[in-house]
Amino acid sequence: MPTPIPVELPKAYRLLNHGPTVLVSSAHAGRGNVMSAAWSMPLDFDPPKVAVVIDKGTYTRGLVEASGTFVLNVPSSAQAALTVAVGSASGRDEDKFALHGIRTLPASRVAAPLIDGCLAWLECRVIPEPHIQAAYDLFLAEVVAAWADPDVFENGHWTAEQGGRRSIHYVAGGQFFETGPAIGIQK
């Protein structure tokens, strides 16, 4: 995989704006985990903010609450089976990274790792909102660093063909849609 390129923070929202399923990686006190999340979205441009639902029953939730950080990893269609697998078991019982042979890259600003092979990565710092976290399992965060695979994202935009690798969108029952070709509209 090519070395990830930095994405200007005011353009980081473009990594999530099309609604992909994400892998949420987390780490605290020497323990790490990864879970799937179909419900995430950008919230603001500058500083960039995101929202993600992390159920109170997940191991990831405890790590995120303890560390105050996480990474949103945008997997490719080649990682669909992995996305289902890490979303179907708890990290309390097993090391998902070891079990699934998940390679990681170090993040630049948070302890949670970047998952190798993904299309994009957003390093996030939680914006404490105890009420919405408790009531709705919704976490708001500021994006403190953003990265993309240069084969799929360049000059602040997804490439037309995405190097043959596309993001995925969960539609229930173990089924995903894959992002399709770009449609350009001239202004």
Side-chain angles (χ1 to χ4, degrees), residues 160-171:
E161 296 305 317
Q162 292 184 3
R165 297 167 53 231
R166 301 189 181 282
S167 61
I168 54 178
H169 309 267
Y170 191 66
V171 293

Side-chain angles (χ1 to χ4, degrees), residues 151-176:
D151 289 342
V152 301
F153 194 89
E154 63 183 359
N155 299 321
H157 296 280
W158 290 100
T159 59
E161 296 305 317
Q162 292 184 3
R165 297 167 53 231
R166 301 189 181 282
S167 61
I168 54 178
H169 309 267
Y170 191 66
V171 293
Q175 300 291 310
F176 293 89

Side-chain angles (χ1 to χ4, degrees), residues 47-135:
K49 295 178 193 75
V50 296
V52 63
V53 173
I54 305 174
D55 186 84
K56 62 184 63 57
T58 65
Y59 183 58
T60 293
R61 170 83 169 248
L63 295 174
V64 168
E65 288 177 334
S67 69
T69 63
F70 59 87
V71 173
L72 296 181
N73 302 267
V74 180
S76 72
S77 53
Q79 295 168 305
L82 173 66
T83 302
V84 170
V86 300
S88 301
S90 174
R92 280 186 191 88
D93 307 323
E94 58 196 5
D95 179 344
K96 292 185 201 179
F97 293 99
L99 180 67
H100 299 290
I102 301 171
R103 293 186 324 258
T104 62
L105 306 165
S108 66
R109 305 275 311 269
V110 302
L114 310 181
I115 297 179
D116 193 23
C118 285
L119 305 175
W121 306 265
L122 294 96
E123 298 180 35
C124 303
R125 182 179 310 118
V126 173
I127 299 168
E129 290 287 348
H131 171 71
I132 64 170
Q133 289 167 207

